[in-house]
Amino acid sequence: MSVYSMTGYANAAAGGGGEAGNEGAAVSVEARSVNGRFLDLAFRLPDDLRGLEPALRELLGAAFRRGKIEMRVSTPRDAESHWPAPTAEQLNRLGRLELSVQTWLPNARGLSVGEALQWCRHGAAAERLDEAALEAARACIAGLREARAREGERLVAMLLDRIAGLRALAARAAPLLPAVVQRQQQRFLERWNEALAAANASGSVPASALQERALAEAASFAIRIDVAEELTRLASHLDEIERLLGAGGELGKRLDFLIQELQREANTLGSKSPAIELTAISVEMKVLVEQMREQVQNIE
């Protein structure tokens, strides 16, 4: 299953294939989509197609789950300069209607040429116009879905690249910990020797007590700076993100939660870090996670 972005654009047209009397039935539909927490639909329809909004809303709701989508429908009738040629069927029907009105209202004046053309313009082929609009809308929705899928592929590639970067940083951080602990233990040992020398000079504190205190502080420090658990959780979150990207579907909200967890682990790594090397790695991790967070906001 594909991963879909919430960003995309598509357009389509239907009807108006040059058939006699059907020139005015040509309909063009365009749709734009951007990211959003929920499915937010907006329509711009000509007056004679307002009744199609429920059907268009249903089509979009069946195809998408999240995103702010604007759909615009237009027809050549929207241009004031376009006047479709009336057909014989339209003129016959209009003549019968005029005759019926004048039979009941003898004083009613006859229709002018402009009034007849206006009637043909707005009353012709309404049913065919609706069908053309729905046909164009279906094609536009399919195109928008394809556009969002293509953008989703690019997002997946970017996220996988950032995941590889985070794994490389974690691999750099893990070997640094024993060296950091060893350096700190060496400093404790030096302090213990200094304290021992002072104690021997004064005889106030037993040497065994000083040694126990130094060893306790060294052990406490090693526990305090141990980020093995954070690195393990970070690797677990990265595995889950890769699994979700491979499975596809509607995963934007789950990815957003996992990105928050990645940010938490990177922050903890930085706060525990006693060495500049680990601090630098933590900063680089935060940059990559922030880049992932920005892109995950666009995934459906």
Side-chain angles (χ1 to χ4, degrees), residues 146-228:
E146 291 175 2
R148 287 170 49 137
R150 290 192 298 271
E151 180 65 20
E153 291 178 359
R154 288 190 285 269
L155 292 178
V156 169
M158 189 283 296
L159 290 173
L160 292 177
D161 179 71
R162 301 304 186 273
I163 287 173
L166 287 170
R167 291 191 187 281
L169 290 172
R172 283 171 48 193
L176 294 176
L177 292 176
V180 171
V181 173
Q182 185 177 5
R183 287 201 303 266
Q184 189 65 20
Q185 287 177 335
Q186 182 63 32
R187 284 197 291 268
F188 281 138
L189 182 60
E190 293 172 358
R191 290 168 55 191
W192 175 75
N193 288 330
E194 293 174 359
L196 181 60
N200 288 335
S202 63
S204 58
V205 182
S208 59
L210 288 174
Q211 184 177 17
E212 290 178 2
R213 177 63 182 274
L215 293 176
E217 288 188 8
S220 175
F221 177 79
I223 294 173
R224 189 166 62 252
I225 68 169
D226 184 16
V227 293

Side-chain angles (χ1 to χ4, degrees), residues 10-50:
N11 58 31
E19 301 175 6
N22 197 35
E23 295 87 346
V27 180
S28 62
V29 179
E30 63 176 344
R32 293 180 173 85
S33 175
V34 295
N35 63 318
R37 294 184 61 191
F38 308 102
L39 185 61
D40 183 7
L41 304 179
F43 299 93
R44 295 191 177 184
L45 309 175
D47 291 338
D48 47 357
L49 292 178
R50 292 287 183 188

